């Protein structure tokens, strides 16, 4: 029986937004994330000599079309890179709402990178590089807690690693669900439109470099106000760079929640971030979660702590 | 009896956003506007030798504090510039909701510029310069229809003028009221924060120069799709430049209306713009107003045509 790999998703605190290399997903800027503890993908890869192509089941449903193709393309890369000869039966269960800006591809490809190479016992850096080829943000889901993906300049140098001494058990990410349906357009498309056409893209990249430095300093100091401020500003700049090409993920409720958080900021440390989608994630700490939730009673929420990196277990 | 000057407000199609000179309101980029036909300010200025300071009534209420000070400061400028010796009784009626991003200061200072200098019979360029000193966007309300404010480089060279051959009687601006209360923060403050701190400000200025060229070309061709596209993009870039400094005017209903307009764009020529405030203005033409209004039944709206420049009449 194939072993099962669990990968948690992660939320970027400093966003990955723009590719220097589309195929290998080398980014234009470094990013920084928090791996979450209860949104994850579980995947097993069973290589079978009798298969004539990869077969992929997601949440119990055999996949076809683009969903299958993306996984097959990744598996082709694994076969080529690691000299694997067989096709595989891939079984995945997603405990993340798909395609609504909750980065399900991050946990999906991190789990798949590990599950497809279990026999090779790759180190974390190699797994992070491999996961990146599947989905950029997956490079970060290899690790627990707070993680930095250094942009690097090629396949060898572009991988994530844990931020040293970043253990911060009081940190919380409150996910506020605005819309769990498929997003208006894919993050890949939005990123490409922005990097190719936005008047603000160059400034976004430049400012991101500074934001990473600020965020790492804040983490070193365990300074939530400092970290939250740069996290919120960075998210707004990401969305602003997209808005400059006449596209937006905001929905009315996104603004409602942004306004609630902004008002609360006068009293408690709460800071929002949004990925490529309308949902809002709110960074705070354990001591302030209840007060925050009191103001979000109208919304479906989920409170996350920092979560583990990749874990492997036998099927029960 | 003092004569009355009526000035219509105007909506910027390409936004004024950033000052190169704060005191004289010399902008960092040229802007382009549509003077509207039924949102206006009526003002009379009665110089009286017995007054020891300017007295200002707005909508029947004697003003004090900042509202009075801004008008007195403007009148001081007029006295100094044109060697006027007396203080004045200034009476104004605003037929524009104040301070909710509908540019009431544009019509207010255009009317005041003319009413305070009636005896001097200034030409339109001089009036436009003078109005600019009161409020940048007021420089454009001197004229009817479609107007360009060339940024210039100093007081002499920074003034608005009509766009040649821009007569376009079918053009309509549908104002969609989201919130008629005082805006979250003043446009002057927002502009200053953006120009001093936004990572996107330089790119905003650079792109604006191109947007002006595109908009003027579209007006020359009477091409509503081309004009509307650049109008909407320019507005989004203005708001994005502000968002990059962690500030926004958007309210949930702003996004609601943006989404309605975006959906309608598949069928009819409708394009939104927002000034420093949450209200949405929708550019379209006479033939498509009814269909647009059908989709905006939940909102308070007002349909405007292009309006006249300054007009002077005797009190009835």
């Amino acid at each position: 029986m194939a072993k099962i790999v669990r990968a948690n998703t992660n939320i970027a605190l400093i966003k990955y937004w723009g590719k220097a290399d589309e195929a290998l997903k080398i980014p234009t800027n470094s990013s920084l994330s928090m791996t979450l503890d209860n949104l994850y993908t579980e995947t097993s890869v069973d290589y079978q000599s009798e298969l004539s192509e990869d077969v992929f089941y997601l949440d119990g449903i055999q996949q076809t079309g683009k969903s299958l193709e993306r996984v097959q393309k990744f598996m082709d890369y694994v076969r080529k890179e690691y000299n694997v000869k067989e096709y595989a039966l891939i079984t995945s269960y997603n405990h993340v709402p798909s395609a609504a800006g909750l980065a399900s591809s991050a946990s999906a490809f991190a789990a798949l990178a590990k599950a497809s190479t279990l026999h090779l016992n790759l180190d974390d850096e190699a797994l992070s590089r491999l996961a990146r080829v599947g989905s950029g943000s997956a490079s970060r889901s290899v690790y627990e807690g707070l993680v930095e993906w250094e942009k690097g300049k090629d396949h060898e140098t572009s991988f994530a690693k844990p931020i040293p001494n970043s253990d911060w058990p009081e940190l919380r990410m409150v996910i506020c669900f605005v819309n769990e349906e498929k997003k208006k357009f894919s993050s890949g498309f939005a990123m490409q439109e922005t990097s190719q056409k936005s008047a603000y893209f160059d400034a976004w990249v430049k400012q991101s470099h500074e934001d990473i430095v600020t965020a790492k300093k804040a983490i070193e100091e365990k300074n939530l106000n400092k970290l939250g401020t740069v996290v919120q500003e960075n998210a707004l700049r990401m969305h602003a760079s997209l808005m400059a090409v006449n596209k937006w993920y905001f929905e009315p409720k996104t603004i409602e929640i942004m306004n609630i958080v902004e008002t609360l900021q006068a009293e408690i440390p709460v800071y929002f971030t949004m990925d490529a989608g309308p949902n809002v994630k709110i960074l705070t700490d354990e001591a302030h979660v209840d007060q925050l939730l009191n103001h979000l009673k109208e919304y479906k929420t989920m409170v996350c702590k920092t979560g583990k990196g990749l874990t492997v277990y036998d099927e029960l």
Side-chain angles (χ1 to χ4, degrees), chain A:
Chain A
M1 206 52 122
K3 285 179 187 283
I4 293 171
V5 176
R6 178 185 289 193
N8 283 308
T9 193
N10 70 79
I11 298 295
L13 303 180
I14 303 298
K15 305 298 183 191
Y16 156 47
W17 194 243
K19 297 185 187 83
D21 180 312
E22 285 283 335
L24 288 171
K25 301 188 175 64
I26 312 295
T28 49
N29 61 283
S30 300
S31 55
L32 193 154
S33 64
M34 173 175 169
T35 298
L36 304 187
D37 69 342
N38 44 17
L39 289 163
Y40 55 90
T41 302
E42 288 182 329
T43 296
S44 65
V45 172
D46 195 2
Y47 288 106
Q48 300 180 350
S49 57
E50 63 273 30
L51 287 174
S52 59
E53 67 167 354
D54 298 312
V55 177
F56 174 38
Y57 283 82
L58 177 61
D59 297 332
I61 298 163
Q62 188 171 356
Q63 301 293 297
T64 56
K66 283 190 180 172
S67 168
L68 175 64
E69 282 162 27
R70 190 167 175 190
V71 164
Q72 287 180 330
K73 193 177 161 199
F74 180 82
M75 294 301 296
D76 286 343
Y77 182 87
V78 170
R79 276 185 285 270
K80 178 164 164 270
E81 197 73 6
Y82 297 106
N83 199 27
V84 174
K85 301 294 182 196
E86 295 169 322
Y87 291 100
L89 170 63
I90 301 148
T91 310
S92 241
Y93 289 90
N94 232 345
H95 300 258
V96 186
S98 290
L102 281 170
S104 61
S105 67
S107 53
F109 283 96
L112 186 57
K114 177 78 174 171
S116 63
T117 60
L118 270 177
H119 60 293
L120 297 166
N121 212 13
L122 301 179
D123 65 19
D124 284 346
E125 279 186 18
L127 283 173
S128 177
R129 276 188 209 99
L130 177 56
R132 187 201 71 231
V133 173
S135 174
S137 56
S139 67
R140 299 181 309 235
S141 273
V142 168
Y143 307 96
E144 69 178 336
L146 298 173
V147 177
E148 181 184 6
W149 172 16
E150 286 195 29
K151 68 185 176 81
K153 54 184 173 45
D154 54 23
H155 182 63
E156 278 309 294
T157 54
S158 186
F159 57 87
K161 55 186 186 184
I163 296 176
N165 306 313
S166 66
D167 192 41
W168 197 338
E170 302 84 8
L171 217 52
R172 294 292 180 277
M173 186 70 81
V174 178
I175 300 175
C176 205
F177 294 88
V178 165
N179 188 336
E180 293 174 76
E181 292 177 24
K182 204 164 155 58
K183 58 180 89 169
K184 279 168 85 174
F185 38 84
S186 78
S187 57
F189 172 73
M191 207 183 275
Q192 196 171 38
E193 285 285 295
T194 304
S195 61
Q196 290 177 358
K197 299 176 189 169
S198 176
Y200 296 164
F201 185 69
D202 291 347
W204 153 260
V205 172
K206 189 160 171 260
Q207 181 64 41
S208 293
H209 301 335
E210 296 179 30
D211 290 351
I212 285 277
V213 174
T214 306
K216 284 167 76 175
K217 182 88 179 143
I219 290 167
E220 194 183 315
E221 299 167 2
K222 298 284 185 294
N223 184 333
L224 180 57
N225 284 305
K226 190 171 177 173
L227 178 61
T229 299
V230 71
V231 163
Q232 181 170 313
E233 289 181 358
N234 182 269
L236 285 172
R237 280 193 285 267
M238 175 190 121
H239 285 270
S241 74
L242 174 65
M243 191 167 272
V245 291
N246 200 16
K247 290 181 176 57
W248 59 95
Y249 281 114
F250 296 140
E251 293 192 9
K253 282 186 196 299
T254 313
I255 303 286
E256 260 179 40
I257 299 164
M258 285 164 59
N259 286 344
I260 289 170
V261 173
E262 188 187 36
T263 303
L264 272 175
Q265 277 171 359
E267 298 169 44
I268 57 173
V270 285
Y271 303 91
F272 62 74
T273 182
M274 292 86 62
D275 291 290
N279 297 309
V280 182
K281 295 101 181 191
I282 305 166
L283 185 70
T284 187
D285 60 12
E286 192 181 7
H288 297 95
V289 164
D290 289 346
Q291 195 175 341
L292 172 61
L293 291 178
N294 264 336
H295 289 84
L296 296 173
K297 282 178 182 163
E298 282 179 51
Y299 306 93
K300 181 179 163 191
T301 54
M302 177 184 261
V303 181
C304 299
K305 303 179 189 181
T306 55
K308 288 183 186 173
L310 296 170
T311 51
V312 183
Y313 55 93
D314 292 314
E315 202 163 359
L316 294 180

Coordinates of all heavy atoms in Angstrom, one line a residue, chain A residues 233-288:
Chain A
E233 N 0.0 46.0 4.0 CA 0.4 46.9 2.9 C 0.8 46.1 1.6 O 0.5 46.5 0.5 CB 1.6 47.8 3.3 CG 1.1 48.9 4.3 CD 2.2 49.8 4.8 OE1 3.4 49.6 4.4 OE2 1.9 50.7 5.6
N234 N 1.6 45.0 1.9 CA 2.0 44.2 0.8 C 0.9 43.6 0.0 O 0.8 43.6 -1.3 CB 3.0 43.1 1.3 CG 3.6 42.3 0.2 OD1 3.0 41.2 -0.2 ND2 4.7 42.7 -0.4
A235 N -0.1 43.1 0.7 CA -1.3 42.6 0.1 C -2.1 43.6 -0.8 O -2.5 43.4 -1.9 CB -2.3 42.0 1.1
L236 N -2.2 44.8 -0.2 CA -2.9 45.9 -0.9 C -2.1 46.3 -2.2 O -2.7 46.5 -3.2 CB -3.1 47.1 0.0 CG -4.2 47.0 1.0 CD1 -4.2 48.1 2.0 CD2 -5.6 46.9 0.3
R237 N -0.8 46.3 -2.1 CA 0.0 46.6 -3.3 C -0.1 45.5 -4.3 O -0.1 45.8 -5.5 CB 1.5 46.8 -2.9 CG 1.7 48.2 -2.3 CD 3.2 48.6 -2.2 NE 3.8 47.9 -1.1 CZ 4.0 48.4 0.1 NH1 3.6 49.6 0.4 NH2 4.6 47.7 1.0
M238 N -0.2 44.3 -3.9 CA -0.4 43.2 -4.9 C -1.7 43.4 -5.6 O -1.8 43.4 -6.9 CB -0.4 41.8 -4.2 CG -0.7 40.7 -5.2 SD -1.0 39.1 -4.3 CE -2.7 38.8 -4.8
H239 N -2.8 43.6 -4.9 CA -4.1 43.8 -5.5 C -4.1 45.1 -6.3 O -4.8 45.2 -7.4 CB -5.2 43.8 -4.4 CG -5.5 42.4 -4.0 ND1 -6.4 41.6 -4.6 CD2 -4.9 41.6 -3.1 CE1 -6.4 40.4 -4.1 NE2 -5.5 40.4 -3.1
A240 N -3.4 46.1 -5.8 CA -3.4 47.4 -6.6 C -2.6 47.2 -7.9 O -3.0 47.8 -8.9 CB -2.7 48.5 -5.7
S241 N -1.6 46.4 -7.9 CA -0.9 46.2 -9.2 C -1.8 45.5 -10.2 O -1.6 45.7 -11.4 CB 0.4 45.3 -8.9 OG 0.1 44.0 -8.7
L242 N -2.7 44.7 -9.7 CA -3.6 44.0 -10.6 C -4.7 45.0 -11.1 O -5.1 45.0 -12.2 CB -4.3 42.8 -9.9 CG -5.4 42.0 -10.6 CD1 -4.9 41.3 -11.8 CD2 -6.0 41.0 -9.6
M243 N -5.2 45.8 -10.1 CA -6.2 46.7 -10.4 C -5.8 47.7 -11.5 O -6.6 48.2 -12.3 CB -6.5 47.5 -9.1 CG -7.7 48.4 -9.2 SD -8.2 49.0 -7.6 CE -9.2 47.6 -7.0
A244 N -4.5 47.9 -11.6 CA -3.9 48.8 -12.6 C -4.1 48.2 -14.0 O -3.8 48.9 -15.0 CB -2.4 49.1 -12.3
V245 N -4.4 46.9 -14.2 CA -4.7 46.4 -15.5 C -6.2 46.1 -15.6 O -6.6 45.1 -16.3 CB -3.9 45.1 -15.8 CG1 -2.4 45.6 -16.1 CG2 -3.9 44.0 -14.8
N246 N -7.0 46.8 -14.8 CA -8.5 46.8 -15.0 C -9.1 45.4 -14.5 O -10.1 45.0 -15.1 CB -8.8 47.0 -16.5 CG -10.2 47.5 -16.7 OD1 -10.9 47.9 -15.8 ND2 -10.6 47.3 -18.0
K247 N -8.5 44.8 -13.5 CA -9.0 43.6 -13.0 C -8.9 43.6 -11.5 O -8.0 44.2 -10.9 CB -8.1 42.4 -13.5 CG -8.3 42.1 -15.0 CD -7.5 41.0 -15.5 CE -7.8 40.7 -16.9 NZ -7.6 41.9 -17.8
W248 N -9.9 43.0 -10.8 CA -9.9 42.9 -9.4 C -10.6 41.7 -8.9 O -11.5 41.1 -9.5 CB -10.6 44.2 -8.8 CG -12.0 44.3 -9.3 CD1 -13.1 43.9 -8.7 CD2 -12.5 44.9 -10.5 NE1 -14.3 44.2 -9.4 CE2 -13.9 44.8 -10.6 CE3 -11.8 45.5 -11.6 CZ2 -14.6 45.3 -11.7 CZ3 -12.5 46.0 -12.7 CH2 -13.9 45.9 -12.7
Y249 N -10.1 41.2 -7.7 CA -10.7 40.1 -7.0 C -11.7 40.5 -5.9 O -12.4 39.7 -5.4 CB -9.7 39.2 -6.4 CG -8.9 38.3 -7.4 CD1 -7.6 38.4 -7.6 CD2 -9.6 37.2 -8.0 CE1 -6.9 37.6 -8.5 CE2 -8.9 36.4 -8.9 CZ -7.6 36.5 -9.1 OH -6.9 35.7 -10.0
F250 N -11.6 41.8 -5.6 CA -12.5 42.3 -4.5 C -14.0 42.0 -4.8 O -14.4 42.2 -5.9 CB -12.3 43.8 -4.3 CG -10.9 44.2 -3.9 CD1 -10.3 45.3 -4.4 CD2 -10.2 43.4 -3.0 CE1 -9.1 45.7 -4.0 CE2 -8.9 43.8 -2.6 CZ -8.4 45.0 -3.1
E251 N -14.6 41.6 -3.7 CA -16.1 41.6 -3.8 C -16.6 42.5 -2.7 O -15.8 43.0 -1.9 CB -16.6 40.1 -3.6 CG -16.2 39.2 -4.7 CD -16.9 37.9 -4.7 OE1 -17.8 37.7 -3.9 OE2 -16.5 37.1 -5.6
P252 N -17.9 42.8 -2.7 CA -18.4 43.8 -1.7 C -18.0 43.3 -0.3 O -17.6 44.1 0.5 CB -19.9 43.8 -1.9 CG -20.0 43.5 -3.4 CD -18.9 42.6 -3.7
K253 N -18.1 42.0 0.0 CA -17.8 41.6 1.3 C -16.3 41.7 1.7 O -16.0 41.8 2.8 CB -18.3 40.1 1.5 CG -19.8 40.0 1.8 CD -20.2 38.6 2.1 CE -21.7 38.3 2.0 NZ -22.5 39.2 2.9
T254 N -15.5 41.6 0.7 CA -14.0 41.8 0.9 C -13.8 43.2 1.5 O -13.1 43.3 2.5 CB -13.3 41.7 -0.4 OG1 -13.7 40.5 -1.2 CG2 -11.8 41.7 -0.2
I255 N -14.5 44.2 0.9 CA -14.3 45.5 1.4 C -15.0 45.7 2.8 O -14.4 46.3 3.7 CB -14.9 46.5 0.5 CG1 -14.3 46.4 -1.0 CG2 -14.8 48.0 1.0 CD1 -12.9 47.0 -1.1
E256 N -16.1 45.0 3.0 CA -16.8 45.0 4.3 C -15.8 44.6 5.4 O -15.6 45.2 6.5 CB -17.9 44.1 4.3 CG -19.3 44.7 4.1 CD -20.4 43.6 4.1 OE1 -20.3 42.6 4.9 OE2 -21.3 43.7 3.3
I257 N -15.1 43.5 5.1 CA -14.2 42.9 6.1 C -13.0 43.8 6.3 O -12.5 44.0 7.4 CB -13.9 41.4 5.8 CG1 -15.2 40.6 5.8 CG2 -12.9 40.9 6.8 CD1 -15.0 39.3 5.1
M258 N -12.4 44.3 5.2 CA -11.3 45.2 5.3 C -11.6 46.4 6.2 O -10.8 46.8 7.0 CB -10.9 45.7 3.9 CG -10.2 44.7 3.0 SD -10.2 45.2 1.2 CE -9.4 46.8 1.3
N259 N -12.9 46.9 6.0 CA -13.3 48.0 6.8 C -13.4 47.7 8.3 O -13.1 48.5 9.2 CB -14.6 48.6 6.3 CG -14.4 49.4 5.0 OD1 -13.2 49.8 4.6 ND2 -15.4 49.6 4.2
I260 N -13.9 46.5 8.5 CA -14.1 46.0 9.9 C -12.7 45.9 10.6 O -12.5 46.4 11.7 CB -14.8 44.6 10.0 CG1 -16.3 44.8 9.7 CG2 -14.6 44.0 11.4 CD1 -17.0 43.5 9.4
V261 N -11.8 45.3 9.9 CA -10.4 45.2 10.4 C -9.7 46.5 10.6 O -9.1 46.8 11.6 CB -9.5 44.3 9.4 CG1 -8.1 44.3 9.9 CG2 -10.1 42.9 9.4
E262 N -9.9 47.4 9.6 CA -9.3 48.7 9.7 C -9.8 49.5 11.0 O -9.1 50.1 11.7 CB -9.6 49.6 8.5 CG -8.9 50.9 8.5 CD -9.3 51.8 7.3 OE1 -10.5 51.8 7.0 OE2 -8.4 52.5 6.8
T263 N -11.1 49.4 11.2 CA -11.7 50.0 12.4 C -11.1 49.4 13.7 O -10.8 50.1 14.6 CB -13.2 49.9 12.4 OG1 -13.7 50.4 11.2 CG2 -13.9 50.6 13.6
L264 N -11.1 48.0 13.7 CA -10.5 47.3 14.9 C -9.1 47.6 15.2 O -8.6 47.5 16.3 CB -10.7 45.8 14.7 CG -12.0 45.2 15.2 CD1 -12.0 43.7 14.8 CD2 -12.2 45.3 16.7
Q265 N -8.3 48.0 14.2 CA -6.9 48.3 14.3 C -6.6 49.4 15.3 O -5.5 49.5 15.9 CB -6.2 48.6 13.0 CG -5.9 47.4 12.2 CD -5.4 47.7 10.8 OE1 -5.4 48.8 10.3 NE2 -5.1 46.6 10.1
A266 N -7.6 50.2 15.6 CA -7.4 51.3 16.6 C -7.3 50.7 18.0 O -6.8 51.3 18.9 CB -8.6 52.2 16.6
E267 N -7.8 49.4 18.2 CA -7.8 48.8 19.5 C -6.9 47.6 19.6 O -6.3 47.4 20.6 CB -9.2 48.3 19.8 CG -10.3 49.4 19.9 CD -11.7 48.7 19.9 OE1 -11.9 47.7 20.7 OE2 -12.6 49.2 19.2
I268 N -6.9 46.7 18.6 CA -6.1 45.5 18.7 C -5.3 45.2 17.5 O -5.6 45.7 16.4 CB -7.1 44.3 19.0 CG1 -8.1 44.1 17.9 CG2 -7.7 44.4 20.4 CD1 -9.0 42.9 18.0
P269 N -4.3 44.3 17.6 CA -3.4 44.0 16.5 C -4.1 43.0 15.6 O -4.0 41.8 15.8 CB -2.2 43.4 17.1 CG -2.6 42.8 18.4 CD -3.8 43.7 18.9
V270 N -4.7 43.5 14.5 CA -5.4 42.6 13.5 C -5.0 43.3 12.1 O -5.1 44.5 12.0 CB -6.9 42.6 13.7 CG1 -7.3 41.7 14.8 CG2 -7.5 44.0 13.9
Y271 N -4.6 42.4 11.2 CA -4.1 42.9 9.9 C -4.6 41.9 8.8 O -4.5 40.7 9.0 CB -2.6 43.0 9.9 CG -2.1 43.8 11.0 CD1 -1.8 43.3 12.3 CD2 -2.0 45.2 10.8 CE1 -1.4 44.1 13.3 CE2 -1.6 46.0 11.9 CZ -1.2 45.4 13.1 OH -0.8 46.2 14.1
F272 N -5.2 42.5 7.8 CA -5.7 41.6 6.7 C -4.7 41.4 5.6 O -3.8 42.1 5.4 CB -7.0 42.2 6.2 CG -6.9 43.5 5.5 CD1 -6.4 43.6 4.2 CD2 -7.5 44.6 6.1 CE1 -6.3 44.9 3.6 CE2 -7.4 45.9 5.5 CZ -6.8 46.0 4.2
T273 N -5.0 40.2 4.9 CA -4.3 40.0 3.7 C -5.2 39.2 2.8 O -6.1 38.5 3.3 CB -2.9 39.2 3.9 OG1 -2.3 39.0 2.6 CG2 -3.2 37.8 4.5
M274 N -5.1 39.4 1.5 CA -5.9 38.7 0.5 C -5.0 38.1 -0.6 O -4.1 38.8 -1.0 CB -7.0 39.6 -0.2 CG -8.0 40.1 0.7 SD -7.6 41.6 1.6 CE -7.3 42.7 0.3
D275 N -5.3 36.9 -1.0 CA -4.5 36.3 -2.1 C -5.3 36.5 -3.4 O -6.2 37.3 -3.4 CB -4.2 34.8 -1.8 CG -3.2 34.7 -0.7 OD1 -2.1 35.1 -0.9 OD2 -3.6 34.4 0.5
A276 N -5.0 35.7 -4.4 CA -5.7 35.9 -5.7 C -7.1 35.3 -5.5 O -7.4 34.2 -5.9 CB -5.0 35.2 -6.8
G277 N -8.0 36.1 -4.9 CA -9.4 35.7 -4.7 C -10.0 36.7 -3.7 O -9.3 37.5 -3.2
P278 N -11.3 36.5 -3.4 CA -12.0 37.5 -2.6 C -11.9 37.3 -1.1 O -12.3 38.2 -0.3 CB -13.4 37.4 -3.1 CG -13.6 36.0 -3.5 CD -12.2 35.6 -4.0
N279 N -11.4 36.1 -0.7 CA -11.4 35.8 0.8 C -10.4 36.6 1.5 O -9.4 37.0 1.0 CB -11.2 34.3 1.0 CG -12.3 33.5 0.4 OD1 -13.5 33.7 0.6 ND2 -11.9 32.5 -0.5
V280 N -10.7 36.9 2.8 CA -9.8 37.7 3.6 C -9.2 36.9 4.7 O -9.9 36.1 5.3 CB -10.6 38.9 4.2 CG1 -9.7 39.8 5.0 CG2 -11.3 39.7 3.1
K281 N -7.9 37.0 4.9 CA -7.3 36.3 6.0 C -6.7 37.4 7.0 O -6.1 38.3 6.5 CB -6.1 35.5 5.5 CG -6.6 34.3 4.6 CD -6.4 34.6 3.1 CE -6.9 33.5 2.2 NZ -6.5 33.7 0.8
I282 N -6.9 37.1 8.2 CA -6.6 38.2 9.2 C -5.5 37.6 10.2 O -5.7 36.6 10.9 CB -7.9 38.6 10.0 CG1 -8.9 39.1 8.9 CG2 -7.5 39.7 10.9 CD1 -10.3 39.2 9.5
L283 N -4.4 38.3 10.2 CA -3.3 38.0 11.0 C -3.5 38.6 12.4 O -3.7 39.8 12.5 CB -2.0 38.4 10.4 CG -0.7 38.0 11.1 CD1 -0.4 36.5 10.9 CD2 0.5 38.8 10.5
T284 N -3.4 37.8 13.4 CA -3.5 38.3 14.8 C -2.8 37.4 15.7 O -2.0 36.5 15.3 CB -4.9 38.6 15.2 OG1 -5.0 39.3 16.5 CG2 -5.7 37.3 15.3
D285 N -3.0 37.5 17.0 CA -2.4 36.5 17.9 C -3.5 35.9 18.8 O -4.6 36.4 18.8 CB -1.2 37.1 18.7 CG -1.6 38.3 19.6 OD1 -2.9 38.5 19.7 OD2 -0.7 39.0 20.1
E286 N -3.1 34.9 19.5 CA -4.0 34.1 20.4 C -4.9 35.0 21.3 O -6.1 34.8 21.4 CB -3.2 33.2 21.2 CG -4.0 32.1 21.9 CD -3.1 31.2 22.8 OE1 -1.9 31.5 22.9 OE2 -3.6 30.2 23.3
A287 N -4.2 36.0 21.9 CA -4.9 36.9 22.9 C -6.0 37.7 22.3 O -6.9 38.2 23.0 CB -3.9 37.8 23.5
H288 N -6.0 37.9 20.9 CA -7.0 38.8 20.3 C -8.0 38.1 19.4 O -8.8 38.8 18.7 CB -6.3 39.9 19.6 CG -5.5 40.8 20.6 ND1 -4.1 40.6 20.8 CD2 -5.9 41.8 21.4 CE1 -3.7 41.4 21.7 NE2 -4.7 42.2 22.1

